[in-house]
Amino acid sequence: MSYAPEQAAPAAAISWRARLQRRFREWVNRRIPPARSVTLDQKRIFIFPSRVGFFFLLCLTVMLLTAINYENNMSYGLTFLLTTLFIIAILHTYANLSGLSIHAVQARPAFPGQQTEFDLRLERGGSRPRFDLRLGWPDSTEQRVSLVESGSDTLRFYCPVGERGWYHPGRLLIESTYPLGLLRCWTWVDLDLRAVVYPRPLASPDLPGHAAADAGGSAIPVAGSDDFDGFRDYRTGDSLRHVHWKGLARGHSLQSKLYAAYAESDCWLDWDAFAGLPVEQRLSHLCYWALEFERRQEDYGLRLPGVRIEPGRGDAHREQVLSALALYGLGGGA
Amino acid sequence: MKEIEQVPRSALIWILLGMAALLAPHAGRLPVWVLAVYGACAFWRLQIFRGRWRYPGRLVKFGLIGLACTGIWFSYGSLLGLEPTVALLLTAYAMKLLELARRQDAYVLLFLGYFICITEFLFTQDLLIVLYSLITVWLVTTALVALHQGQQRFGTTSLRQAGVMLAQAFPLMLVLFFLFPRIGPLWTVPVKSHAARTGVSDFMRPGDISNLSKSDEVAFRVSFEGDIPARSSLYWRGLVMSRLQEGAWSSLGYYEVPPAERRAPEVATAGDAIDYSVLMMPTQQRWLYSLRYAESSQGGVMEAPDFRLFRPVEIEEQYRYEVRSWPATTLQPALSEWRRETELRLPEGDNPRTVALARSLREAAASDEAFVDTVLARFTNEPYVYTLQPPLLGENPTDGFLFDTRRGFCEHYAAAFVTLMRAGGVPARVVAGYQGGEVNPVNRTVIVHQFDAHAWAEVWLEGEGWRRVDPTAAVSPLRVEQGLEQALAGEGSFLADSPLSPLRYRGINWINSMRLQYDALTYRWQSWVVGFNSENQFSILQEYLGELNGRKFVTILLGSWVLVLVPVGFWLLRRRSPAALDAISREYLAFCQRLARLGVERAPGEPPGAFAERAVVALPQSASAVREVTALYERARYAGGDSTPADTLRSMRRAARGVGRQNRLG
């Protein structure tokens, strides 16, 4: 029953079944195109008796046989009342999903083997309470919510991610069997959510092309060994710590202080530094170093073919660098 | 990753309530220990919920099942038959509570609950029971809804939801009920045990009918086409008892009659006919009740050689039949040799004093007719007493009754009379059935109760055929003219064992009129709803729809459903455009307009915060109110809000009112 668009059939064994599944996926894609916000309507909602519903129908059959064999009109009456209750339940089950809006909020980046977080916002769109909604991606955790008191709710899902690149969680399954459990009403929505998966950090002894600053084998420039060397006009990428704030306060133009060691420690994570290694390994090493610099509070820049990120640090910078590494060679930037 | 689907607290409470309601109407039929099992299981389950006890292990469960089966065996002497099966089902249902852990278990429990509701209908389809069962179904459905609402707090939300759904399903059910073809049983099913039968039996010992007279149950209801005949002529013949054996009168079985005599003799009807229909309550017997001489054109109703009606199958459910009677008809002007011999036979040597008396009286009488009158006069003139509490009789009961005790109920008089007749050489037999009945002025039906059960005699006279003679009337004319209650007024024994029977309070006007109204309703219910069968289904449908065909059938079914489903769907799915959150926006806009009237206008696109600051500067008196409304609005709009929109809306409205007032005051 679960819908898993990522499941690719082995190319060798494209059976009629796989073809059927693909056809079905295409049909669902046409019917429910990806969107950041979805309001459920009859085009998107499917409904069918649940397993419990079939069991109920079996019970109804037994009741009907009892009524027939005992020629008992009240038994007929009760059997029919429950039959029509089943039919009425179709409308109520459907109404429980209909009009519900789901908004994609965010997806957090993650390293391979970790779990990403997807945040959704659920709005009931009206004053009627919604009960017993189950939401989840094929691989994610499942959430069970009711919207009774408040009109909306923010949900977080955890989902293990695969290798470097974009992680598409697939279609989100939203289902409910409210109010009687006899019918299952569901939809698959593609919220156009994808998470960035960074390269797997892989330690390398040193960063080739980077002058080792101490004998301990670490090639990281030591931030403390700064002999003041003079001023120069501020350029983007200069650390704010090196801005000559006092001069600025006196009315001079924005200037950076230059240190002797600074020029050398302006450190670049360079694609060419690991020449000869496979692409993924190169990216993994660069990722490792980016994290390492970040940990040591050093500025670092990134040079990849077609990508150049000036040195800097901080969360935003780190994310920029890691994303560039994550999406290297995949096209369709961040 | 799937969490275990627990049964929420509110659902558990509803389930327990529903089960109690399901059990209640069965309680009278069940052994007491089954009720105890219910109490114990419910308590155990509650203890599990409170975390005190644990679910029983598999061994314990098997042990309990074994015990339950053994218990049913001991209580009923069998596991087959309807009563033990239902009792077993109910016991298993109680014990299923101890397995109620997950949602799946709850489904089984609740669906079984619906089925248990049906088993109640197999015993009675009384109007009140049906109304009560509707409430039960509502409770069970509520439990089903509560299971999905998942709320721990016990409230009426589920009750309302279930009620709404059932109310919507009801009209659809009616359509199905009237259109669904009624077919006969597909196979034989366990029937009610005969221990429960009430009513006249085909075996009469002294004391049988007086026992029956303690019951106020309805035996049958009759509705006459024309006028209702006088009460004293309402002799409902059910059984003819021609054989006396070991002190008991009984009727002849089909194969005890020689083949030549088995067919009902041709009868030349005479006089005016009376048309009526009888709606009989289930008796688990075959015979039907009618006035003499009755014929029925209805299929499945047969006539016996002794001029009574019967059905080849037992009456398990209420049964309605149409009859036409000619009371003035002469029955059997000539007796066959076999018949004469049968109707004269008496056991050798029994009741010698009775036989001697009969012979001497017959010799003194000029004719058979005069003999009959002599015997009846004896009952009238000698100190015979009509009583519900006759003394016990020893060997030769007729002798004892006629000469010693002289106190008896109708069966004593009928039996003694027939014995006297036969001993005197006049063919005679006992007839059992009912006499009289209560006329319900509300719908002009005659209600015949069990206490109207009666036994009388028929004697065969040359040239006249069978004549009805009621020796009880000779002793107590009131019994025939006014009924049992008046006849026993001096004794005070009428329905002495059922102090709550509304029939005892017929003297109180409003109780009596309520009882009769309800009885009229019951008659309608029984004949039109409970008794709805393929015949009246066909005639009703044909009357309203004309010629029936498949297309018309489907059109009506679907058409009527659409009539219900479309409005329901519309009601459920309509877009509630003024959604709760939008109501808050509207409230805010109203607040802005209010400020605008006070001279502070909000610029297009101006953030609420900035606007509020401007307003505070312009209207310092209302500062706190303006800030409050703005804060509430922003919280509701952007923070998702902890409080419900309704609360926020109320607070905003209150605060906004403050703006105007403070300003005007200021």
Side-chain angles (χ1 to χ4, degrees), chain B residues 310-433:
Chain B
F310 69 97
R311 260 184 100 195
V313 288
E314 291 180 359
I315 300 166
E316 295 286 350
E317 296 296 332
Q318 62 153 0
Y319 181 65
R320 185 195 188 93
Y321 53 98
E322 308 282 334
V323 196
R324 168 172 278 198
S325 287
W326 292 268
T329 304
T330 306
L331 295 180
Q332 234 166 8
L335 272 191
S336 72
E337 202 47 45
W338 175 84
R339 179 60 73 181
R340 170 180 286 276
E341 200 182 300
T342 307
E343 310 290 14
L344 279 173
R345 190 177 299 145
L346 280 176
E348 290 287 319
D350 283 2
N351 300 311
R353 290 155 78 192
T354 311
V355 174
L357 174 73
R359 292 207 175 125
S360 68
L361 288 178
R362 177 66 189 91
E363 269 164 38
S367 64
D368 287 351
E369 235 176 315
F371 175 47
V372 170
D373 292 338
T374 321
V375 173
L376 286 180
R378 189 182 159 86
F379 282 134
T380 314
N381 299 332
E382 305 220 347
Y384 283 97
V385 178
Y386 180 67
T387 172
L388 245 181
Q389 298 143 339
L392 282 175
L393 296 167
E395 221 174 315
N396 292 329
T398 311
D399 277 1
F401 164 69
L402 274 179
F403 299 101
D404 306 332
T405 66
R406 299 186 184 210
R407 299 169 67 83
F409 202 57
C410 57
E411 68 259 41
H412 297 91
Y413 291 97
F417 180 80
V418 171
T419 310
L420 282 169
M421 286 297 124
R422 286 192 174 185
V426 180
R429 54 198 187 186
V430 175
V431 181

Side-chain angles (χ1 to χ4, degrees), chain B residues 10-22:
Chain B
S10 59
L12 181 63
I13 297 175
W14 283 117
I15 287 174
L16 289 177
L17 283 178
M19 285 178 84
L22 279 171

Side-chain angles (χ1 to χ4, degrees), chain B residues 40-54:
Chain B
C41 290
F43 180 71
W44 192 333
R45 186 60 184 82
L46 282 175
Q47 289 293 73
I48 293 172
F49 180 78
R50 296 164 70 191
R52 304 260 172 92
W53 296 3
R54 283 199 285 165

Side-chain angles (χ1 to χ4, degrees), chain B residues 291-310:
Chain B
L291 302 173
R292 77 162 247 175
Y293 155 80
E295 274 180 6
S296 174
S297 54
Q298 190 158 322
V301 176
M302 330 250 298
E303 196 184 335
D306 40 19
F307 313 106
R308 57 192 177 84
L309 301 178
F310 69 97

